Amino acid sequence: MNCLQNLPRSSSVLSSQSFRIQSAIQPCFVNMTTIHYEKWLMNATDLRRNCLVKGTPSSTSSIEMEGAKESEEKSDVYSTNMTEAMGAVLTYRHELGMNYDFITPDLIVGSCLQTPADVDKLRSIGVKTIYCLQQNSDLEYFSVDIGAIREYASTFSDIQHLRAEIRDFDAFDMRLRLPYVVSKLHKAVNRNGGITYIHCTAGLGRAPATALAYMFWVQGYKLQDAITLLLSKRPCFPKVDAIKSATADILTGLKRKPVTLTWKGDECSTVEISGLDIGWGQEGRYEYKYVVDGNWVTNNNELLTPANKDGQINNYIQVSDNDPESVSSALWERLGADDFDLTTNERDVIRQFLDDCPDDE
């Protein structure tokens, strides 16, 4: 299954009602019924059968049912938001418990741990490193007690729980954070060995993207080969463009270029610029809008996007090196190719960056 990339939903002060990204793709429908869900459903069927035979529900069943209903409602909302933000029809059912897939024999991508008991499940299959990419707000939404999970994991000498936060549904935050996140992962794998479990909330965006970058930068896969393998093991929607951009950022030394935007007009008192991505100095394409005296407007003297399905139009800027002979220009041109791969020297540069990258960004 091949899924095209889409721009992220606003994660800044911009409201989704007033500023939406132009969707350049049709939805990509994904079947999220993995073998681990099937096992859960089989167990659930057996459990219901046993309940019918053994007796009536306990007095706490109504409380449990209310909790299950609340979890289902939160899953519905999260799935809707994820589909809107990712540009693909994706579903996450938190109430079904942790689900995961082996991408390679030593690399697993999955959904979040929900209780300390999930640590035991992962230890039983040989996991040595649990790598959580969730922010605290993600954990709080589904009432996950990360403190209890980490405390329980710390009682064992054969498994380590690590965290490195990436903002959900935000491709630009992914681009900025990915080099440091993969560096921490790389060092943990070298230290702990064994199987590594990478997870975000649903295991459909941040976790597969991190695994993909690790396979590409560290394990020596060609990018397209890594994508094909990943999607053959787990239906998901990694932001490939963010990985390509992060690759260019490392190889160009996080090179920045000044950007100047101008609003011409005397009949206003305040002019602000708000965009989906902060850090426009790095190469790439960025959308934004002007806020003039509190009103959201576009500048007709600058580049405009086509109207999206809600009729919204944004300004955009393409930040690039003007010198066609420069290293960064040539690299960005190569990044656009379907068969893009790193040279031996580029792989050495990236691995050195990952080795030297400080643990605290």
Side-chain angles (χ1 to χ4, degrees):
M1 176 192 66
N2 292 320
C3 293
L4 300 176
Q5 302 307 303
N6 193 17
L7 293 172
R9 182 178 57 177
S10 172
S11 58
S12 65
V13 296
L14 215 50
S15 69
S16 59
Q17 288 80 12
S18 61
F19 187 30
R20 293 180 180 271
I21 284 294
Q22 166 70 17
S23 175
I25 65 172
Q26 296 298 320
C28 173
F29 294 87
V30 177
N31 181 1
M32 286 309 301
T33 306
T34 69
I35 186 171
H36 305 285
Y37 276 156
E38 293 171 359
K39 290 179 180 178
W40 185 92
L41 292 172
M42 292 171 62
N43 292 337
T45 302
D46 294 338
L47 178 61
R48 287 193 294 271
R49 186 181 299 114
N50 291 336
C51 287
L52 291 174
V53 172
K54 293 181 179 179
T56 58
S58 67
S59 59
T60 60
S61 61
S62 60
I63 298 177
E64 293 173 350
M65 289 178 63
E66 289 179 4
K69 182 178 180 181
E70 180 182 2
S71 183
E72 289 177 2
E73 291 174 347
K74 286 187 174 182
S75 292
D76 289 339
V77 172
Y78 184 85
S79 296
T80 298
N81 291 341
M82 180 165 53
T83 293
E84 178 185 347
M86 302 289 277
V89 178
L90 302 170
T91 301
Y92 172 58
R93 306 309 312 180
H94 187 78
E95 64 275 12
L96 299 184
M98 183 175 62
N99 73 87
Y100 58 85
D101 293 283
F102 277 85
I103 309 306
T104 65
D106 58 357
L107 190 63
I108 302 175
V109 171
S111 64
C112 65
L113 282 69
Q114 299 184 16
T115 69
D118 287 331
V119 175
D120 291 328
K121 296 175 184 177
L122 296 180
R123 289 183 66 235
S124 70
I125 60 174
V127 170
K128 300 300 182 184
T129 303
I130 301 171
Y131 202 36
C132 172
L133 303 174
Q134 294 174 285
Q135 293 187 303
N136 289 337
S137 57
D138 304 328
L139 297 159
E140 292 166 0
Y141 179 76
F142 282 111
S143 302
V144 174
D145 188 348
I146 189 65
I149 292 173
R150 287 172 59 83
E151 182 178 358
Y152 183 66
S154 69
T155 64
F156 301 100
S157 61
D158 61 350
I159 194 168
Q160 184 180 23
H161 188 289
L162 297 173
R163 295 188 66 187
E165 298 180 15
I166 299 176
R167 189 178 299 119
D168 209 356
F169 314 140
D170 189 332
F172 192 73
D173 191 60
M174 168 74 71
R175 170 185 177 173
L176 293 182
R177 299 271 299 151
L178 203 54
Y180 305 99
V181 169
V182 174
S183 171
K184 191 171 185 178
L185 171 63
H186 171 54
K187 294 172 184 176
V189 172
N190 287 342
R191 181 174 59 249
N192 300 331
I195 299 172
T196 300
Y197 185 87
I198 306 174
H199 77 85
C200 46
T201 298
L204 302 179
R206 291 168 288 180
T210 299
L212 187 58
Y214 177 75
M215 295 165 69
F216 181 40
W217 293 345
V218 178
Q219 294 188 321
Y221 284 85
K222 291 183 65 173
L223 182 57
Q224 190 55 52
D225 290 345
I227 294 170
T228 300
L229 176 59
L230 175 71
L231 296 181
S232 72
K233 301 294 185 179
R234 183 174 182 83
C236 55
F237 202 71
K239 293 292 187 180
V240 176
D241 284 347
I243 297 170
K244 289 184 176 182
S245 296
T247 302
D249 291 341
I250 295 174
L251 293 176
T252 58
L254 303 177
K255 181 180 179 181
R256 294 176 180 272
K257 180 180 179 182
V259 173
T260 301
L261 300 175
T262 303
W263 177 268
K264 296 181 179 180
D266 298 328
E267 299 178 358
C268 59
S269 57
T270 62
V271 177
E272 299 174 282
I273 298 173
S274 185
L276 298 184
D277 303 326
I278 305 302
W280 292 351
Q282 290 173 287
E283 294 187 24
R285 183 179 186 273
Y286 305 98
E287 297 193 14
Y288 60 95
K289 221 161 191 174
Y290 286 88
V291 185
V292 180
D293 291 339
N295 298 313
W296 297 83
V297 296
T298 56
N299 187 338
N300 292 329
N301 296 318
E302 296 170 359
L303 296 173
L304 296 168
T305 66
N308 64 13
K309 63 181 181 180
D310 298 313
Q312 296 293 327
I313 298 174
N314 305 315
N315 286 117
Y316 75 90
I317 187 170
Q318 182 73 41
V319 181
S320 59
D321 193 326
N322 294 330
D323 181 2
E325 303 300 323
S326 70
V327 174
S328 60
S329 293
L331 177 60
W332 276 99
E333 184 175 351
R334 287 171 52 214
L335 282 167
D338 293 335
D339 60 347
F340 170 73
D341 193 18
L342 296 168
T343 66
T344 300
N345 180 65
E346 288 170 340
R347 289 192 183 279
D348 290 342
V349 170
I350 290 177
R351 290 196 180 101
Q352 189 63 53
F353 175 91
L354 299 178
D355 288 336
D356 295 342
C357 186
D359 291 336
D360 298 324
E361 323 89 274

